[in-house]
Amino acid sequence: MACPPAAHPSPERQPTVKVILASADVQRVVDRIAHQILEKTQGAAETVLLGIPTRGAPLARRLAARISTFEDVDVPVGVLDITLYRDDLRRHATRAVGPTQLPPGGIDGKRVVLVDDVLFSGRTVRAALDALNDVGRPASVQLAVLVDRGHRQLPIRADYVGKNIPTALAESVRVTLVDTDGADEVRLYGGTR
């Protein structure tokens, strides 16, 4: 029995997938952000990188490694779990709580650079600021993101942006990293051909 025509979208109605950053582009972007952090923080003095899981944590480790390569400076890296600080826990299934791992020297009095893969509504960053408040008192907080796709719902902006990608609300940005997904790539999904 054949499916009715409506069950198979026509080729011109297929959702589009566009590669925004390939593997080499992702590495270039990480290098650029590492250089910008070095410039804006006087050589990463008194700076700590805290990655927001899932993909912000490996990005923070990569940034620290690149900073070390460029300037022979070891920047402390940690992970900041924001699960219990999210404002959408009632709307979505409960996510597993991960560990918050602060570097040995802590964050008090330090410049903290929060690292995430995609900046969208700003709600993840708001949750990270709340979580950060519970683990210490940094001198200042900055934000580094691989991709800024716009559509902010809160007054939040990134200090370091790898790539600005104007998107429609119906579109989505998917970051994959070698560390978590087996390949480095940024794709834009949505729209129709």
Side-chain angles (χ1 to χ4, degrees), residues 119-121 148-152 165-167:
L119 177 57
F120 179 34
S121 67
D148 183 345
R149 65 164 291 189
H151 303 288
R152 222 69 82 237
I165 302 175
T167 63

Side-chain angles (χ1 to χ4, degrees), residues 77-135:
V77 180
V79 176
L80 184 66
D81 183 67
I82 63 161
T83 304
L84 296 178
Y85 298 89
R86 298 183 60 88
D87 63 3
D88 60 356
L89 286 177
R90 289 176 295 216
R91 295 174 48 204
H92 300 289
T94 304
R95 299 163 24 139
V97 176
T100 288
Q101 300 166 342
L102 297 181
I107 62 166
D108 291 337
K110 307 278 175 68
R111 176 187 299 110
V112 170
V113 180
L114 294 173
V115 181
D116 204 6
D117 57 347
V118 178
L119 177 57
F120 179 34
S121 67
R123 293 182 180 277
T124 295
V125 177
R126 191 235 11 110
L129 291 170
D130 287 347
L132 194 60
N133 190 48
D134 280 352
V135 296

Side-chain angles (χ1 to χ4, degrees), residues 177-190:
L177 298 174
V178 167
D179 317 75
T180 55
D181 310 292
D184 287 339
E185 195 171 66
V186 177
R187 290 183 177 207
L188 179 65
Y189 291 85

Side-chain angles (χ1 to χ4, degrees), residues 140-160:
S140 65
V141 180
Q142 296 178 343
L143 177 62
V145 296
L146 191 64
V147 173
D148 183 345
R149 65 164 291 189
H151 303 288
R152 222 69 82 237
Q153 296 173 351
L154 300 170
I156 289 173
R157 69 167 178 77
D159 300 276
Y160 312 99

